[in-house]
Structure formats: structure tokens, C-alpha cells
Amino acid sequence: KQEVTQIPAALSVPEGENLVLNCSFTDSAIYNLQWFRQDPGKGLTSLLLIQSSQREQTSGRLNASLDKSSGRSTLYIAASQPGDSATYLCAVSLAGGGGNKLTFGTGTQLKVEL
Amino acid sequence: GAVVSQHPSWVICKSGTSVKIECRSLDFQATTMFWYRQFPKQSLMLMATSNEGSKATYEQGVEKDKFLINHASLTLSTLTVTSAHPEDSSFYICSAGRVNTEAFFGQGTRLTVV
């Protein structure tokens, strides 16, 4: 059974700092990996999708890497801003779902302070 | 990205009543949709896979007679929580996506059973 773990569980940083969120998964036979953002009481916003054949993806201040063989992904946020405060979830796809059936990590709650 | 709309965003119901939640893909046809549940301070857990024109596939531990899923068209899946009880209070969220692409999520439904 696929298990996804995220470290740290919570993180508080001053504005402007670069930071790294970590995600690890136990079964390397994934279809793809996605990073999401969830604001309190809200749905999920897709940030980045990395296919299993890819090593990294970038969008603006966000960069996600994937090392499938070691079961790890990192989300790098550059020059953090208070608006980045949210819970960040990584999720890996399961077989049989066309890439969309996901197992979620435990989440990292990020707070960026002024 | 694709747009997935979920309704209602929140609902309060009395114990013993049933509640229906709708999930619509607005700009694409989804043969498969997924329903997740999120308890406070926890991550999202897959409940079931909704298949257009056929029966839903439920994850282990999810009661199919309690959580009725209907996927009658390529753009609509519904989740009905039957005879709801306080322990069913949770955040329910659906997702859909084109095959081999990223998953997009609805806004989620906060269910409170009193």
C-alpha cells in the first residue's frame, strides 16, 4: 500500500526566505506526482504536476523535483510571501486511475510572516 | 486548467437525513471522477471512484450503501450521504481530470451533521 509522508508538518518562516518542502512515498511505481495548495476550509489548487518520466517542473517561484527511484519529491518556494501561507499537499497517482487517482501526503502547514 | 464545480459548499443537516453533493466538470467530459474525504487536521483519503454508466468502486472500509455514488452523465457525479450521523461530518471533495493529465478539484463541501 502506497504511503506518502511530508516533512515538516508545519513551518513558519519570515517573508522573503527560500524554503523547501519534502515529500516521500513508499512505492516508486507511480504514474505522476502533484503538488497542491489548500487554504483553510477550501478546496485544492493544483500547483505543479510531474510525470514519472520527468525530473522537475517550474512555475513562477515554485520548483518541484522528483526522484522516483528514491521515492522523494521536493517543492522549492523562492522569496516566500505572506500570501503563500497555506497547507501544501503532495499526492502520487495510483495505477488504474489514468493518473488521477491520488494518494495524499500528510501535508505541510506553511506560515509566512511579515 | 480544467474546471470542476462542486455544490453545495457547505451543508448542515439533522442526524438521520440524507444529503446529496454534486460534482460537475464544466469544460470537459469526465468518464471517471473521484470522491475524497478529509477529517480535521488530516489529509485527504480516497473514498471511491465514480465511473460513468457503471457502478462506483469503493475503497476498503467505505460503506457503499451509506455513500451512494451516481455518475449518470459525462459531466456530473453525485455523492449521497444516506442516514447521516455526526461521525459523517467531514469535508468532502471531488476531483476529475482528463486521462494522463493533472487532477482538478472542486471547491469541496463541508458537511455538518447535528
Short mmCIF file of all heavy atoms in Angstrom, two decimals, chain B residues 12-58:
data_model
loop_
_atom_site.label_atom_id
_atom_site.label_comp_id
_atom_site.label_asym_id
_atom_site.label_seq_id
_atom_site.Cartn_x
_atom_site.Cartn_y
_atom_site.Cartn_z
N ILE B 12 -25.61 21.86 6.55
CA ILE B 12 -25.88 21.38 7.90
C ILE B 12 -27.17 20.58 7.84
O ILE B 12 -28.17 21.06 7.30
CB ILE B 12 -26.02 22.55 8.90
CG1 ILE B 12 -24.74 23.39 8.92
CG2 ILE B 12 -26.33 22.02 10.29
CD1 ILE B 12 -24.85 24.64 9.76
N CYS B 13 -27.14 19.38 8.36
CA CYS B 13 -28.34 18.56 8.31
C CYS B 13 -28.55 17.86 9.65
O CYS B 13 -27.62 17.73 10.46
CB CYS B 13 -28.24 17.53 7.18
SG CYS B 13 -27.06 16.21 7.48
N LYS B 14 -29.76 17.41 9.84
CA LYS B 14 -30.09 16.69 11.05
C LYS B 14 -29.68 15.23 10.93
O LYS B 14 -29.71 14.65 9.83
CB LYS B 14 -31.58 16.78 11.35
CG LYS B 14 -32.05 18.16 11.76
CD LYS B 14 -33.53 18.14 12.14
CE LYS B 14 -33.98 19.51 12.63
NZ LYS B 14 -35.42 19.50 13.02
N SER B 15 -29.35 14.64 12.04
CA SER B 15 -28.97 13.24 12.07
C SER B 15 -30.11 12.38 11.53
O SER B 15 -31.28 12.60 11.87
CB SER B 15 -28.63 12.83 13.51
OG SER B 15 -28.16 11.52 13.56
N GLY B 16 -29.79 11.45 10.65
CA GLY B 16 -30.78 10.57 10.08
C GLY B 16 -31.26 10.97 8.70
O GLY B 16 -31.90 10.19 8.00
N THR B 17 -30.96 12.18 8.30
CA THR B 17 -31.37 12.64 6.97
C THR B 17 -30.27 12.34 5.95
O THR B 17 -29.16 11.95 6.30
CB THR B 17 -31.66 14.14 6.96
OG1 THR B 17 -30.47 14.86 7.33
CG2 THR B 17 -32.76 14.48 7.96
N SER B 18 -30.61 12.52 4.68
CA SER B 18 -29.65 12.26 3.60
C SER B 18 -29.25 13.56 2.93
O SER B 18 -30.04 14.50 2.86
CB SER B 18 -30.27 11.32 2.56
OG SER B 18 -30.52 10.05 3.13
N VAL B 19 -28.05 13.60 2.47
CA VAL B 19 -27.51 14.80 1.82
C VAL B 19 -26.88 14.42 0.49
O VAL B 19 -26.11 13.46 0.42
CB VAL B 19 -26.43 15.45 2.72
CG1 VAL B 19 -25.76 16.61 2.00
CG2 VAL B 19 -27.03 15.91 4.03
N LYS B 20 -27.19 15.20 -0.53
CA LYS B 20 -26.63 14.95 -1.86
C LYS B 20 -25.64 16.05 -2.21
O LYS B 20 -25.93 17.24 -2.09
CB LYS B 20 -27.72 14.88 -2.92
CG LYS B 20 -27.16 14.63 -4.34
CD LYS B 20 -28.24 14.68 -5.40
CE LYS B 20 -29.08 13.44 -5.42
NZ LYS B 20 -30.00 13.40 -6.57
N ILE B 21 -24.47 15.63 -2.69
CA ILE B 21 -23.43 16.57 -3.13
C ILE B 21 -23.19 16.34 -4.61
O ILE B 21 -23.05 15.18 -5.05
CB ILE B 21 -22.13 16.34 -2.33
CG1 ILE B 21 -22.38 16.47 -0.83
CG2 ILE B 21 -21.05 17.32 -2.79
CD1 ILE B 21 -21.21 16.01 0.02
N GLU B 22 -23.12 17.43 -5.36
CA GLU B 22 -22.92 17.33 -6.81
C GLU B 22 -21.51 17.75 -7.20
O GLU B 22 -20.96 18.70 -6.65
CB GLU B 22 -23.92 18.22 -7.55
CG GLU B 22 -25.35 17.78 -7.43
CD GLU B 22 -26.28 18.61 -8.31
OE1 GLU B 22 -25.82 19.66 -8.81
OE2 GLU B 22 -27.43 18.21 -8.48
N CYS B 23 -20.98 17.08 -8.19
CA CYS B 23 -19.67 17.41 -8.73
C CYS B 23 -19.79 17.46 -10.25
O CYS B 23 -20.18 16.47 -10.87
CB CYS B 23 -18.65 16.35 -8.32
SG CYS B 23 -16.98 16.63 -8.93
N ARG B 24 -19.46 18.60 -10.81
CA ARG B 24 -19.58 18.79 -12.26
C ARG B 24 -18.26 19.18 -12.89
O ARG B 24 -17.53 20.01 -12.35
CB ARG B 24 -20.60 19.89 -12.58
CG ARG B 24 -22.02 19.57 -12.18
CD ARG B 24 -22.96 20.71 -12.53
NE ARG B 24 -24.32 20.46 -12.05
CZ ARG B 24 -25.22 19.77 -12.72
NH1 ARG B 24 -24.94 19.30 -13.91
NH2 ARG B 24 -26.41 19.57 -12.20
N SER B 25 -17.97 18.56 -14.03
CA SER B 25 -16.84 19.02 -14.84
C SER B 25 -17.41 19.98 -15.87
O SER B 25 -18.28 19.61 -16.66
CB SER B 25 -16.14 17.83 -15.51
OG SER B 25 -17.04 17.09 -16.29
N LEU B 26 -16.96 21.21 -15.85
CA LEU B 26 -17.61 22.26 -16.62
C LEU B 26 -17.10 22.38 -18.06
O LEU B 26 -17.83 22.84 -18.94
CB LEU B 26 -17.45 23.60 -15.91
CG LEU B 26 -18.10 23.70 -14.53
CD1 LEU B 26 -17.98 25.10 -13.98
CD2 LEU B 26 -19.55 23.25 -14.56
N ASP B 27 -15.87 22.01 -18.30
CA ASP B 27 -15.33 22.25 -19.64
C ASP B 27 -14.71 21.01 -20.28
O ASP B 27 -13.98 21.12 -21.25
CB ASP B 27 -14.30 23.39 -19.60
CG ASP B 27 -13.20 23.10 -18.59
OD1 ASP B 27 -13.30 22.11 -17.84
OD2 ASP B 27 -12.22 23.87 -18.56
N PHE B 28 -15.03 19.84 -19.72
CA PHE B 28 -14.56 18.62 -20.36
C PHE B 28 -15.43 17.46 -19.90
O PHE B 28 -16.16 17.57 -18.91
CB PHE B 28 -13.09 18.35 -20.03
CG PHE B 28 -12.84 17.99 -18.59
CD1 PHE B 28 -12.66 16.68 -18.19
CD2 PHE B 28 -12.78 18.99 -17.62
CE1 PHE B 28 -12.43 16.37 -16.85
CE2 PHE B 28 -12.55 18.68 -16.30
CZ PHE B 28 -12.38 17.37 -15.92
N GLN B 29 -15.35 16.37 -20.61
CA GLN B 29 -16.12 15.20 -20.25
C GLN B 29 -15.27 14.27 -19.39
O GLN B 29 -14.13 13.96 -19.75
CB GLN B 29 -16.60 14.48 -21.51
CG GLN B 29 -17.60 15.30 -22.32
CD GLN B 29 -18.09 14.56 -23.55
OE1 GLN B 29 -17.38 13.73 -24.10
NE2 GLN B 29 -19.31 14.84 -23.96
N ALA B 30 -15.81 13.85 -18.28
CA ALA B 30 -15.06 13.03 -17.33
C ALA B 30 -15.72 11.67 -17.18
O ALA B 30 -16.78 11.56 -16.58
CB ALA B 30 -14.98 13.73 -15.98
N THR B 31 -15.10 10.65 -17.74
CA THR B 31 -15.65 9.31 -17.57
C THR B 31 -15.42 8.79 -16.16
O THR B 31 -16.10 7.89 -15.69
CB THR B 31 -15.03 8.33 -18.58
OG1 THR B 31 -13.61 8.36 -18.43
CG2 THR B 31 -15.38 8.72 -20.00
N THR B 32 -14.44 9.37 -15.50
CA THR B 32 -14.12 8.97 -14.14
C THR B 32 -13.96 10.20 -13.26
O THR B 32 -13.30 11.16 -13.65
CB THR B 32 -12.80 8.16 -14.11
OG1 THR B 32 -12.91 7.05 -14.99
CG2 THR B 32 -12.52 7.66 -12.70
N MET B 33 -14.56 10.15 -12.10
CA MET B 33 -14.37 11.18 -11.08
C MET B 33 -14.04 10.47 -9.78
O MET B 33 -14.32 9.28 -9.63
CB MET B 33 -15.63 12.04 -10.92
CG MET B 33 -15.97 12.89 -12.13
SD MET B 33 -17.39 13.97 -11.79
CE MET B 33 -17.51 14.84 -13.34
N PHE B 34 -13.47 11.21 -8.86
CA PHE B 34 -13.06 10.63 -7.59
C PHE B 34 -13.63 11.43 -6.43
O PHE B 34 -13.70 12.65 -6.48
CB PHE B 34 -11.53 10.60 -7.49
CG PHE B 34 -10.87 9.84 -8.60
CD1 PHE B 34 -10.46 10.48 -9.76
CD2 PHE B 34 -10.68 8.47 -8.50
CE1 PHE B 34 -9.87 9.77 -10.80
CE2 PHE B 34 -10.09 7.76 -9.53
CZ PHE B 34 -9.69 8.40 -10.67
N TRP B 35 -14.02 10.71 -5.38
CA TRP B 35 -14.53 11.36 -4.18
C TRP B 35 -13.56 11.10 -3.02
O TRP B 35 -13.16 9.96 -2.77
CB TRP B 35 -15.92 10.83 -3.83
CG TRP B 35 -16.98 11.33 -4.77
CD1 TRP B 35 -17.47 10.69 -5.87
CD2 TRP B 35 -17.66 12.57 -4.69
NE1 TRP B 35 -18.43 11.48 -6.47
CE2 TRP B 35 -18.56 12.63 -5.77
CE3 TRP B 35 -17.62 13.65 -3.79
CZ2 TRP B 35 -19.41 13.72 -5.99
CZ3 TRP B 35 -18.45 14.73 -4.02
CH2 TRP B 35 -19.34 14.77 -5.10
N TYR B 36 -13.22 12.19 -2.33
CA TYR B 36 -12.32 12.12 -1.20
C TYR B 36 -13.02 12.69 0.04
O TYR B 36 -13.97 13.47 -0.06
CB TYR B 36 -11.04 12.95 -1.45
CG TYR B 36 -10.18 12.46 -2.60
CD1 TYR B 36 -10.48 12.80 -3.92
CD2 TYR B 36 -9.06 11.68 -2.36
CE1 TYR B 36 -9.68 12.38 -4.97
CE2 TYR B 36 -8.26 11.24 -3.41
CZ TYR B 36 -8.57 11.60 -4.71
OH TYR B 36 -7.78 11.17 -5.75
N ARG B 37 -12.46 12.32 1.18
CA ARG B 37 -12.98 12.84 2.45
C ARG B 37 -11.79 13.31 3.26
O ARG B 37 -10.71 12.68 3.24
CB ARG B 37 -13.74 11.74 3.18
CG ARG B 37 -14.33 12.13 4.53
CD ARG B 37 -15.28 11.07 5.03
NE ARG B 37 -14.68 9.75 5.07
CZ ARG B 37 -15.34 8.66 5.41
NH1 ARG B 37 -16.62 8.72 5.73
NH2 ARG B 37 -14.73 7.49 5.45
N GLN B 38 -12.00 14.40 3.97
CA GLN B 38 -10.92 14.95 4.79
C GLN B 38 -11.46 15.31 6.15
O GLN B 38 -12.30 16.21 6.28
CB GLN B 38 -10.31 16.19 4.12
CG GLN B 38 -9.11 16.77 4.86
CD GLN B 38 -8.55 17.99 4.16
OE1 GLN B 38 -9.27 18.80 3.59
NE2 GLN B 38 -7.22 18.15 4.20
N PHE B 39 -10.98 14.61 7.19
CA PHE B 39 -11.34 14.95 8.56
C PHE B 39 -10.39 16.03 9.06
O PHE B 39 -9.29 16.20 8.54
CB PHE B 39 -11.29 13.71 9.45
CG PHE B 39 -12.39 12.72 9.15
CD1 PHE B 39 -12.11 11.52 8.51
CD2 PHE B 39 -13.70 12.99 9.49
CE1 PHE B 39 -13.12 10.62 8.22
CE2 PHE B 39 -14.72 12.10 9.21
CZ PHE B 39 -14.43 10.91 8.56
N PRO B 40 -10.82 16.78 10.09
CA PRO B 40 -9.99 17.88 10.59
C PRO B 40 -8.57 17.45 10.92
O PRO B 40 -8.35 16.39 11.52
CB PRO B 40 -10.75 18.33 11.84
CG PRO B 40 -12.16 17.97 11.57
CD PRO B 40 -12.10 16.69 10.79
N LYS B 41 -7.62 18.24 10.50
CA LYS B 41 -6.20 18.03 10.76
C LYS B 41 -5.65 16.79 10.07
O LYS B 41 -4.55 16.35 10.39
CB LYS B 41 -5.94 17.91 12.28
CG LYS B 41 -6.45 19.10 13.08
CD LYS B 41 -5.69 20.35 12.77
CE LYS B 41 -6.16 21.49 13.68
NZ LYS B 41 -5.47 22.76 13.35
N GLN B 42 -6.40 16.22 9.16
CA GLN B 42 -5.92 15.05 8.45
C GLN B 42 -5.85 15.33 6.95
O GLN B 42 -6.36 16.34 6.47
CB GLN B 42 -6.83 13.85 8.72
CG GLN B 42 -6.86 13.40 10.17
CD GLN B 42 -7.68 12.15 10.36
OE1 GLN B 42 -7.87 11.36 9.45
NE2 GLN B 42 -8.16 11.96 11.58
N SER B 43 -5.21 14.43 6.25
CA SER B 43 -5.11 14.61 4.80
C SER B 43 -6.33 14.00 4.11
O SER B 43 -7.22 13.46 4.75
CB SER B 43 -3.83 13.97 4.29
OG SER B 43 -3.58 14.39 2.97
N LEU B 44 -6.35 14.13 2.81
CA LEU B 44 -7.47 13.61 2.04
C LEU B 44 -7.33 12.11 1.85
O LEU B 44 -6.25 11.60 1.57
CB LEU B 44 -7.51 14.26 0.66
CG LEU B 44 -8.07 15.67 0.58
CD1 LEU B 44 -7.06 16.68 1.06
CD2 LEU B 44 -8.49 16.00 -0.85
N MET B 45 -8.46 11.43 1.99
CA MET B 45 -8.49 9.99 1.79
C MET B 45 -9.48 9.66 0.69
O MET B 45 -10.62 10.13 0.71
CB MET B 45 -8.91 9.27 3.08
CG MET B 45 -7.93 9.44 4.22
SD MET B 45 -6.33 8.67 3.90
CE MET B 45 -6.80 6.95 3.93
N LEU B 46 -9.05 8.86 -0.25
CA LEU B 46 -9.92 8.46 -1.34
C LEU B 46 -11.04 7.58 -0.81
O LEU B 46 -10.80 6.61 -0.10
CB LEU B 46 -9.12 7.71 -2.41
CG LEU B 46 -9.89 7.22 -3.62
CD1 LEU B 46 -10.42 8.39 -4.45
CD2 LEU B 46 -9.02 6.31 -4.48
N MET B 47 -12.28 7.94 -1.17
CA MET B 47 -13.43 7.13 -0.77
C MET B 47 -13.83 6.16 -1.88
O MET B 47 -14.07 4.98 -1.63
CB MET B 47 -14.62 8.04 -0.46
CG MET B 47 -14.45 8.97 0.70
SD MET B 47 -15.88 10.03 0.87
CE MET B 47 -17.14 8.84 1.32
N ALA B 48 -13.95 6.72 -3.09
CA ALA B 48 -14.48 5.90 -4.17
C ALA B 48 -14.16 6.52 -5.52
O ALA B 48 -13.89 7.72 -5.62
CB ALA B 48 -15.99 5.75 -4.02
N THR B 49 -14.20 5.67 -6.52
CA THR B 49 -14.04 6.09 -7.91
C THR B 49 -15.40 6.00 -8.58
O THR B 49 -16.04 4.94 -8.56
CB THR B 49 -13.04 5.17 -8.63
OG1 THR B 49 -11.79 5.20 -7.95
CG2 THR B 49 -12.86 5.61 -10.08
N SER B 50 -15.82 7.11 -9.14
CA SER B 50 -17.11 7.18 -9.80
C SER B 50 -16.92 6.96 -11.29
O SER B 50 -16.16 7.67 -11.94
CB SER B 50 -17.71 8.58 -9.54
OG SER B 50 -18.90 8.78 -10.27
N ASN B 51 -17.61 5.97 -11.84
CA ASN B 51 -17.46 5.61 -13.24
C ASN B 51 -18.74 5.89 -13.99
O ASN B 51 -19.81 5.41 -13.61
CB ASN B 51 -17.12 4.11 -13.36
CG ASN B 51 -15.89 3.73 -12.56
OD1 ASN B 51 -14.80 4.24 -12.80
ND2 ASN B 51 -16.06 2.84 -11.60
N GLU B 52 -18.65 6.66 -15.06
CA GLU B 52 -19.82 7.00 -15.85
C GLU B 52 -20.46 5.76 -16.43
O GLU B 52 -19.80 4.94 -17.08
CB GLU B 52 -19.43 7.98 -16.96
CG GLU B 52 -20.61 8.56 -17.72
CD GLU B 52 -20.99 7.74 -18.94
OE1 GLU B 52 -20.11 7.03 -19.47
OE2 GLU B 52 -22.17 7.79 -19.34
N GLY B 53 -21.75 5.60 -16.15
CA GLY B 53 -22.50 4.50 -16.72
C GLY B 53 -22.32 3.15 -16.05
O GLY B 53 -22.87 2.15 -16.51
N SER B 54 -21.56 3.11 -14.97
CA SER B 54 -21.39 1.84 -14.26
C SER B 54 -21.25 2.09 -12.76
O SER B 54 -21.25 3.24 -12.32
CB SER B 54 -20.17 1.09 -14.79
OG SER B 54 -18.99 1.81 -14.53
N LYS B 55 -21.14 1.02 -12.03
CA LYS B 55 -21.08 1.16 -10.57
C LYS B 55 -19.76 1.79 -10.11
O LYS B 55 -18.71 1.60 -10.73
CB LYS B 55 -21.24 -0.21 -9.92
CG LYS B 55 -22.62 -0.82 -10.07
CD LYS B 55 -22.70 -2.16 -9.35
CE LYS B 55 -24.08 -2.76 -9.48
NZ LYS B 55 -24.17 -4.08 -8.78
N ALA B 56 -19.86 2.48 -9.00
CA ALA B 56 -18.66 3.08 -8.42
C ALA B 56 -17.81 2.00 -7.76
O ALA B 56 -18.30 0.94 -7.37
CB ALA B 56 -19.06 4.13 -7.39
N THR B 57 -16.54 2.29 -7.66
CA THR B 57 -15.60 1.40 -6.98
C THR B 57 -15.22 2.04 -5.66
O THR B 57 -14.69 3.15 -5.63
CB THR B 57 -14.34 1.20 -7.84
OG1 THR B 57 -14.71 0.75 -9.14
CG2 THR B 57 -13.42 0.18 -7.17
N TYR B 58 -15.48 1.33 -4.56
CA TYR B 58 -15.25 1.90 -3.24
C TYR B 58 -13.94 1.40 -2.64
O TYR B 58 -13.55 0.26 -2.83
CB TYR B 58 -16.41 1.52 -2.31
CG TYR B 58 -17.71 2.21 -2.67
CD1 TYR B 58 -18.52 1.70 -3.70
CD2 TYR B 58 -18.11 3.36 -2.02
CE1 TYR B 58 -19.70 2.34 -4.05
CE2 TYR B 58 -19.30 3.99 -2.36
CZ TYR B 58 -20.08 3.48 -3.38
OH TYR B 58 -21.25 4.12 -3.73
#
